Amino acid sequence: MPEANSYIASLAPYQPGMPVETLVRKYGLEAGSIVKLASNENPLGPSPLALSAMKLAGRNVHQYPDQYDLIQALAQHLGVDEASIVVGNGSNDILDLIARTYLDSGDEAIVSQYAFAMYRLAAQSVGASNIVVPAKDYGHDLDAMLAAVTEKTKVIWIANPNNPTGTFMPYEDLEDFIRKVPGHIAVVLDEAYYEYLDPADRVLTQEWVTAYPNVLIVRTFSKIYGLAGLRVGYAIAAPEVSELLNRVRLPFTSNGLAVVAAVAALEDQEFAFRSFALNRQERLRMQAALREKGVEQLPAWGNFITIRVTDGAAAYESLLKKGIIVRPLASYDMPNWLRVTIGLPKENDRFLQTL
Ligand SMILES: Cc1ncc(COP(=O)(O)O)c(C=O)c1O
């Protein structure tokens, strides 16, 4: 057998939320009776406009896809230069591109203790060292992350809001941090849940890439736009940075149907708003119900709530048996916590009653 390089041999693969089909096979439950609150997907499904656009585009799948329409639509929607956008096969693909562009064996990447798992995987897969900085209140400790910078640091990963803990950092703190980081270090600001923030709480972080060309913003169509199964994510970065990422990017990473659907989803801001409003309403209702039950929960800024239970693995298994899939967090070293995606009102009711 060929021998893998040492950092791949010791890599623990990403653990996704359990798919509905797996639970059907495991416990013989009916797919229709299963509630999946495990992967922070949009419970409203995809935008109907995205579905119709894909149907029409089906007749062109014999041709290689072109991303230009999506790049143009994103640039216009975000008010940035087209040359600033890099489209990937989900935002995970972008995170991987960043690691391959900026990290080499022996380099260091700084990551917060409970930050999204992909950062460590992406860095390790290119032989870089992960410098894990202890969390503060389950979120990023920016002062400690700054103090961890060495001459080997090449990338700093930040998720805001963070997954799986749902925490959020004020933009003033974040910008202050960015100002202090040496300009040759890539600061990755992963905003997969950006669109779930109240518009009044949002800052147009995409504008930061002009003032701070070492900042890369990463966003996705998997969450509020409901296209997780299609795999579309993107980076917003200074044109010189985008040009580098595009050198590493494989040709045609996002498939033709996904690109067309993403353009339609972006146009369907009414759907995005409905998704936002449902999430806000149900998150507030779930938070209140959990408080009433005396369940400890972390502050939640995305489309999920992270709660403490006595035994995460046992609670996860008993919920599974009742047809409810949530996310256990032992792989994040949080064995007494579960992450629960905000679903439709009836799905959330089922979860609350069963818990
Ligand atoms: C913080 C964060 N970043 C990135 C991703 C990756 O999303 P995708 O590859 O579907 O765009 C996720 C998915 O859950 C996430 O929570």
Side-chain angles (χ1 to χ4, degrees), residues 55-353:
K55 257 187 215 149
L56 278 179
R59 64 178 72 139
N60 295 329
V61 294
H62 59 295
Q63 294 174 333
Y64 283 104
D66 177 33
Q67 299 185 334
Y68 181 67
D69 286 352
L70 179 55
I71 290 174
Q72 194 188 31
L74 279 168
Q76 197 173 14
H77 178 73
L78 300 165
V80 299
D81 197 335
E82 285 170 16
S84 284
I85 307 280
V86 182
V87 172
N89 194 22
S91 57
N92 279 334
D93 184 33
I94 299 286
L95 301 174
D96 186 56
L97 283 186
I98 295 171
R100 287 196 285 138
T101 304
Y102 289 105
L103 291 171
D104 211 340
S105 162
D107 290 340
E108 291 179 353
I110 297 178
V111 62
S112 179
Q113 183 180 8
Y114 300 121
F116 183 51
M118 269 307 297
Y119 310 145
R120 293 198 212 184
L121 290 183
Q124 191 179 337
S125 71
V126 293
S129 303
N130 285 307
I131 305 302
V132 181
V133 175
K136 187 161 108 192
D137 300 329
Y138 289 91
H140 296 56
D141 182 342
L142 291 176
D143 291 338
M145 290 177 82
L146 195 62
V149 169
T150 71
E151 74 282 358
K152 289 187 184 162
T153 308
K154 294 287 165 54
V155 170
I156 302 179
W157 308 101
I158 291 175
N160 203 40
N162 183 43
N163 170 24
T165 56
T167 49
F168 176 72
M169 273 166 294
Y171 289 111
E172 306 82 76
D173 297 357
L174 210 44
E175 193 171 4
D176 188 46
F177 171 81
I178 288 166
R179 264 192 223 110
K180 292 177 183 155
V181 172
H184 68 277
I185 298 174
V187 178
V188 182
L189 184 53
D190 180 350
E191 298 187 319
Y193 303 95
Y194 178 79
E195 296 88 352
Y196 287 107
L197 297 171
D198 211 296
D201 291 330
R202 284 181 220 164
V203 155
L204 301 179
T205 49
Q206 65 264 30
E207 291 174 359
W208 288 0
V209 304
T210 311
Y212 314 105
N214 60 326
V215 170
L216 294 91
I217 309 287
V218 181
R219 296 198 191 146
T220 183
F221 281 89
S222 296
K223 307 298 173 187
I224 209 148
Y225 291 111
L227 301 182
L230 288 177
R231 316 304 302 128
V232 194
Y234 59 96
I236 313 159
E240 311 85 275
V241 172
S242 300
E243 194 270 326
L244 282 172
L245 296 190
N246 273 320
R247 287 189 204 179
V248 183
R249 192 173 62 81
L250 297 175
F252 317 118
T253 36
S254 291
N255 74 70
L257 297 183
V259 168
V260 165
V263 171
L266 196 62
E267 274 166 15
D268 196 353
Q269 285 300 316
E270 191 268 329
F271 174 83
F273 180 75
R274 237 176 336 118
S275 304
F276 161 80
L278 172 74
N279 185 69
R280 182 176 53 183
Q281 169 202 306
E282 285 298 293
R283 188 175 61 198
L284 283 170
R285 191 172 74 85
M286 293 261 278
Q287 285 171 320
L290 289 164
R291 254 194 312 274
E292 207 163 288
K293 283 176 185 289
V295 177
E296 184 181 343
Q297 52 188 310
L298 295 179
W301 293 80
N303 64 344
F304 57 92
I305 304 180
T306 305
I307 61 170
R308 197 199 285 268
V309 292
T310 322
D311 177 346
Y316 170 66
E317 275 298 325
S318 15
L319 285 165
L320 274 188
K321 285 189 186 129
K322 299 197 164 125
I324 299 172
I325 316 178
V326 296
R327 187 66 166 270
L329 295 180
S331 62
Y332 278 93
D333 219 6
M334 295 174 69
N336 301 326
W337 295 84
L338 296 176
R339 193 194 68 195
V340 187
T341 303
I342 313 284
L344 296 172
K346 64 174 191 292
E347 295 174 323
N348 300 333
D349 283 341
R350 259 248 338 259
F351 167 74
L352 288 169
Q353 282 151 17

